[in-house]
Amino acid sequence: MRLHGSIHYNAGMTSVPAGLAHDIAIIGGGASGVLTAIHLLHAATTPLRIALYEPQPTLAQGVAYATPYPEHLLNVPVQRMSAFNDRPEDFLDFLSRDPRERAALAPAFVERHRYGEYLRDRLARARDASVATLVRVAQPVMAMNRQSQGWRLRLADGVEADSAAVVLAVGNRPRPLPARGANGLSAEASLSAWDFDAVRAVPGDARLCIVGSGLSMVDAVLSFVATEHRGTIHVLSRHGWLPQPHAAHAVADFEPAQLLPLDLRARLRFVRQRVREAAAAGLPWQAVMERLRPHGQALWRSLSEADQRRFLRHVVRLWDVHRHRVAVSVHQQLQALIDRGQLRLHRGRLDTVMQVGRCVQVGANVRGQPGLELEVDRVVNATGVEMRVPTMRNPLLTELLGEGHARTGPHGIGIATDDAGRVLNADGHAQADLWVLGSLRIGSLWETTAIPELRGQAEAVARQLLGR
């Protein structure tokens, strides 16, 4: 009987024999998949058989936590990164038991790879203490076919495995570079901000153009700082806005439920007024965002469909730079590069890229001004996460859509689900044995990628699966 390779960090995690039936299959071993496995193992009261499908050699290393480099910090303080709603200091417990260290660590932004280590540790502990069995399959799932009971999964090597229920936790995919001529660039001239090793290997004197000015851009720039890059770094995005910094933790005093009956325009006026009131009370604008933070999903779902579309067209970037903030030290590094002229922000829409010898000519459209033209040595794609499933280049999701087992979410982004996270088929019916969590619920929930949302979804999915 053929065996799949077991995970290298934990020899006690068994491998799965080909064709063996399982009660629950989790597809994806990044943060959302590992969180789901942890909560299933904790809550199980019978000897369930759980399979975790992830081709990468190490679990809990999706895009966010795959970087091994110390310059890449969490964007949320330690004290808010627990994997458990009922144990808010669990990540802090993992990092230190020393009271003096804990006091300093709680509000700190630690290296991101520490969070992957934490999730792997909690997964191993949960497995060792559980009556359920967890097996890891180091293969991607390429297709799923419905059976009389549950699903038959086809793996990349042709092996098939049956499962009574499936959880989709496939994580994020990068957007392609949005420019004419992008396919003509050599691998050396064009790289992804998510390819941390390649970014760090860029020659120190190379002229760079980073497309996108969000968190992926920040990661790339921090790596250039760490490698003492000397060349000019151009950053091109439609708005030219950088992610904003965190502030000392404070929460403004107002009732977010007042926003729910308002339309989008009225909500913007409301928030701006709360910011003015916070400033008058000596609080930073971040205190208003902290008050809104737990209510992001309710705010999104209470908007009309038309206002959701307006948000996606006109407000989303404004929201992102204030909602998805960075550590103060990180923001200071970016500002220092801007002040000395090495980091240059450009507002425009990327139009063309053309390789001429070892150089890349970049052309962008700038509203109301002559077009922007740059000549650089490398183009770095930092345009962020692809939200439209048909363009994710994921064969499993493409097959699920094509067979009618799933349909795209609101506004064509993510996968459509009911309120509990069950996948809706092409006819709009919720499937009790097919669940999804994380970024694929973005169309329905919007706020669905940060750890507070992921841990809540993982716990809810585990509870409902175990209650079937």
Side-chain angles (χ1 to χ4, degrees), residues 63 83 126 232-233 274 276-277 323 360 369 399 417 432:
V63 175
T232 301
I233 305 170
R274 300 293 84 75
R276 287 191 289 268
E277 292 172 358
R323 159 67 183 87
V360 180
Q369 301 178 30
E399 192 260 357
T417 68

PDB file of all heavy atoms in Angstrom, residues 63 83 126 232-233 274 276-277 323 360 369 399 417 432:
ATOM      1  N   VAL A  63       1.179  32.489   2.693  1.00  0.00           N
ATOM      2  CA  VAL A  63       1.899  33.691   2.279  1.00  0.00           C
ATOM      3  C   VAL A  63       2.379  34.496   3.480  1.00  0.00           C
ATOM      4  O   VAL A  63       3.529  34.945   3.537  1.00  0.00           O
ATOM      5  CB  VAL A  63       0.994  34.565   1.393  1.00  0.00           C
ATOM      6  CG1 VAL A  63       1.693  35.872   1.063  1.00  0.00           C
ATOM      7  CG2 VAL A  63       0.639  33.820   0.118  1.00  0.00           C
ATOM      8  N   ALA A  83      -4.575  31.812  18.958  1.00  0.00           N
ATOM      9  CA  ALA A  83      -5.360  30.930  18.100  1.00  0.00           C
ATOM     10  C   ALA A  83      -6.714  30.591  18.718  1.00  0.00           C
ATOM     11  O   ALA A  83      -7.520  29.910  18.079  1.00  0.00           O
ATOM     12  CB  ALA A  83      -4.585  29.639  17.835  1.00  0.00           C
ATOM     13  N   ALA A 126      -2.308  19.566  20.223  1.00  0.00           N
ATOM     14  CA  ALA A 126      -3.713  19.172  20.077  1.00  0.00           C
ATOM     15  C   ALA A 126      -3.817  17.731  19.588  1.00  0.00           C
ATOM     16  O   ALA A 126      -4.662  16.962  20.060  1.00  0.00           O
ATOM     17  CB  ALA A 126      -4.418  20.120  19.110  1.00  0.00           C
ATOM     18  N   THR A 232      17.610  53.090  -6.610  1.00  0.00           N
ATOM     19  CA  THR A 232      16.331  53.790  -6.452  1.00  0.00           C
ATOM     20  C   THR A 232      15.181  52.794  -6.483  1.00  0.00           C
ATOM     21  O   THR A 232      15.164  51.855  -7.286  1.00  0.00           O
ATOM     22  CB  THR A 232      16.152  54.817  -7.583  1.00  0.00           C
ATOM     23  OG1 THR A 232      17.231  55.743  -7.542  1.00  0.00           O
ATOM     24  CG2 THR A 232      14.840  55.561  -7.435  1.00  0.00           C
ATOM     25  N   ILE A 233      14.211  53.006  -5.612  1.00  0.00           N
ATOM     26  CA  ILE A 233      13.029  52.147  -5.526  1.00  0.00           C
ATOM     27  C   ILE A 233      11.805  52.992  -5.866  1.00  0.00           C
ATOM     28  O   ILE A 233      11.410  53.870  -5.082  1.00  0.00           O
ATOM     29  CB  ILE A 233      12.876  51.534  -4.118  1.00  0.00           C
ATOM     30  CG1 ILE A 233      14.146  50.782  -3.707  1.00  0.00           C
ATOM     31  CG2 ILE A 233      11.663  50.611  -4.075  1.00  0.00           C
ATOM     32  CD1 ILE A 233      14.156  50.350  -2.249  1.00  0.00           C
ATOM     33  N   ARG A 274     -16.341  61.028  13.974  1.00  0.00           N
ATOM     34  CA  ARG A 274     -15.790  60.347  15.153  1.00  0.00           C
ATOM     35  C   ARG A 274     -14.278  60.588  15.270  1.00  0.00           C
ATOM     36  O   ARG A 274     -13.736  60.695  16.373  1.00  0.00           O
ATOM     37  CB  ARG A 274     -16.069  58.844  15.085  1.00  0.00           C
ATOM     38  CG  ARG A 274     -17.533  58.452  15.024  1.00  0.00           C
ATOM     39  CD  ARG A 274     -18.312  58.763  16.286  1.00  0.00           C
ATOM     40  NE  ARG A 274     -18.801  60.117  16.377  1.00  0.00           N
ATOM     41  CZ  ARG A 274     -19.849  60.607  15.676  1.00  0.00           C
ATOM     42  NH1 ARG A 274     -20.498  59.873  14.798  1.00  0.00           N
ATOM     43  NH2 ARG A 274     -20.241  61.847  15.865  1.00  0.00           N
ATOM     44  N   ARG A 276     -12.737  63.338  14.286  1.00  0.00           N
ATOM     45  CA  ARG A 276     -12.584  64.702  14.820  1.00  0.00           C
ATOM     46  C   ARG A 276     -12.839  64.729  16.319  1.00  0.00           C
ATOM     47  O   ARG A 276     -12.111  65.394  17.076  1.00  0.00           O
ATOM     48  CB  ARG A 276     -13.550  65.649  14.090  1.00  0.00           C
ATOM     49  CG  ARG A 276     -13.129  65.958  12.658  1.00  0.00           C
ATOM     50  CD  ARG A 276     -13.941  67.076  12.070  1.00  0.00           C
ATOM     51  NE  ARG A 276     -15.308  66.661  11.794  1.00  0.00           N
ATOM     52  CZ  ARG A 276     -15.708  66.163  10.617  1.00  0.00           C
ATOM     53  NH1 ARG A 276     -14.843  66.024   9.615  1.00  0.00           N
ATOM     54  NH2 ARG A 276     -16.965  65.815  10.429  1.00  0.00           N
ATOM     55  N   GLU A 277     -13.850  64.005  16.765  1.00  0.00           N
ATOM     56  CA  GLU A 277     -14.146  63.959  18.201  1.00  0.00           C
ATOM     57  C   GLU A 277     -13.018  63.275  18.972  1.00  0.00           C
ATOM     58  O   GLU A 277     -12.669  63.700  20.084  1.00  0.00           O
ATOM     59  CB  GLU A 277     -15.466  63.222  18.422  1.00  0.00           C
ATOM     60  CG  GLU A 277     -16.678  63.978  17.888  1.00  0.00           C
ATOM     61  CD  GLU A 277     -17.938  63.141  17.942  1.00  0.00           C
ATOM     62  OE1 GLU A 277     -17.854  61.960  18.367  1.00  0.00           O
ATOM     63  OE2 GLU A 277     -19.006  63.643  17.536  1.00  0.00           O
ATOM     64  N   ARG A 323      -7.070  50.436   7.830  1.00  0.00           N
ATOM     65  CA  ARG A 323      -7.439  49.213   8.564  1.00  0.00           C
ATOM     66  C   ARG A 323      -6.249  48.262   8.725  1.00  0.00           C
ATOM     67  O   ARG A 323      -6.004  47.730   9.807  1.00  0.00           O
ATOM     68  CB  ARG A 323      -8.596  48.534   7.807  1.00  0.00           C
ATOM     69  CG  ARG A 323      -8.807  47.070   8.085  1.00  0.00           C
ATOM     70  CD  ARG A 323      -9.280  46.790   9.485  1.00  0.00           C
ATOM     71  NE  ARG A 323      -9.389  45.359   9.666  1.00  0.00           N
ATOM     72  CZ  ARG A 323      -8.398  44.569  10.047  1.00  0.00           C
ATOM     73  NH1 ARG A 323      -7.201  45.079  10.311  1.00  0.00           N
ATOM     74  NH2 ARG A 323      -8.580  43.272  10.182  1.00  0.00           N
ATOM     75  N   VAL A 360      13.972  47.300 -18.122  1.00  0.00           N
ATOM     76  CA  VAL A 360      12.531  47.221 -18.323  1.00  0.00           C
ATOM     77  C   VAL A 360      11.975  48.628 -18.390  1.00  0.00           C
ATOM     78  O   VAL A 360      12.217  49.445 -17.484  1.00  0.00           O
ATOM     79  CB  VAL A 360      11.832  46.444 -17.183  1.00  0.00           C
ATOM     80  CG1 VAL A 360      10.329  46.385 -17.427  1.00  0.00           C
ATOM     81  CG2 VAL A 360      12.413  45.047 -17.044  1.00  0.00           C
ATOM     82  N   GLN A 369      -2.371  64.209 -16.336  1.00  0.00           N
ATOM     83  CA  GLN A 369      -0.969  64.560 -16.520  1.00  0.00           C
ATOM     84  C   GLN A 369      -0.389  63.709 -17.641  1.00  0.00           C
ATOM     85  O   GLN A 369      -0.965  62.697 -18.049  1.00  0.00           O
ATOM     86  CB  GLN A 369      -0.174  64.313 -15.227  1.00  0.00           C
ATOM     87  CG  GLN A 369      -0.666  65.095 -14.027  1.00  0.00           C
ATOM     88  CD  GLN A 369       0.144  64.754 -12.781  1.00  0.00           C
ATOM     89  OE1 GLN A 369       1.315  64.411 -12.870  1.00  0.00           O
ATOM     90  NE2 GLN A 369      -0.494  64.840 -11.626  1.00  0.00           N
ATOM     91  N   GLU A 399     -12.481  23.432 -11.067  1.00  0.00           N
ATOM     92  CA  GLU A 399     -13.293  22.247 -11.295  1.00  0.00           C
ATOM     93  C   GLU A 399     -14.597  22.307 -10.492  1.00  0.00           C
ATOM     94  O   GLU A 399     -15.672  21.941 -10.989  1.00  0.00           O
ATOM     95  CB  GLU A 399     -12.483  21.005 -10.912  1.00  0.00           C
ATOM     96  CG  GLU A 399     -13.085  19.689 -11.370  1.00  0.00           C
ATOM     97  CD  GLU A 399     -13.826  18.969 -10.257  1.00  0.00           C
ATOM     98  OE1 GLU A 399     -13.819  19.458  -9.118  1.00  0.00           O
ATOM     99  OE2 GLU A 399     -14.424  17.930 -10.542  1.00  0.00           O
ATOM    100  N   THR A 417     -21.175  31.343   0.047  1.00  0.00           N
ATOM    101  CA  THR A 417     -21.465  30.477   1.194  1.00  0.00           C
ATOM    102  C   THR A 417     -22.731  30.960   1.882  1.00  0.00           C
ATOM    103  O   THR A 417     -23.189  32.090   1.672  1.00  0.00           O
ATOM    104  CB  THR A 417     -20.317  30.499   2.226  1.00  0.00           C
ATOM    105  OG1 THR A 417     -20.258  31.798   2.841  1.00  0.00           O
ATOM    106  CG2 THR A 417     -18.976  30.179   1.588  1.00  0.00           C
ATOM    107  N   ALA A 432     -24.114  20.498   3.183  1.00  0.00           N
ATOM    108  CA  ALA A 432     -23.784  20.244   4.582  1.00  0.00           C
ATOM    109  C   ALA A 432     -22.438  19.560   4.758  1.00  0.00           C
ATOM    110  O   ALA A 432     -21.939  19.478   5.885  1.00  0.00           O
ATOM    111  CB  ALA A 432     -24.880  19.392   5.233  1.00  0.00           C
TER     112      ALA A 432
END
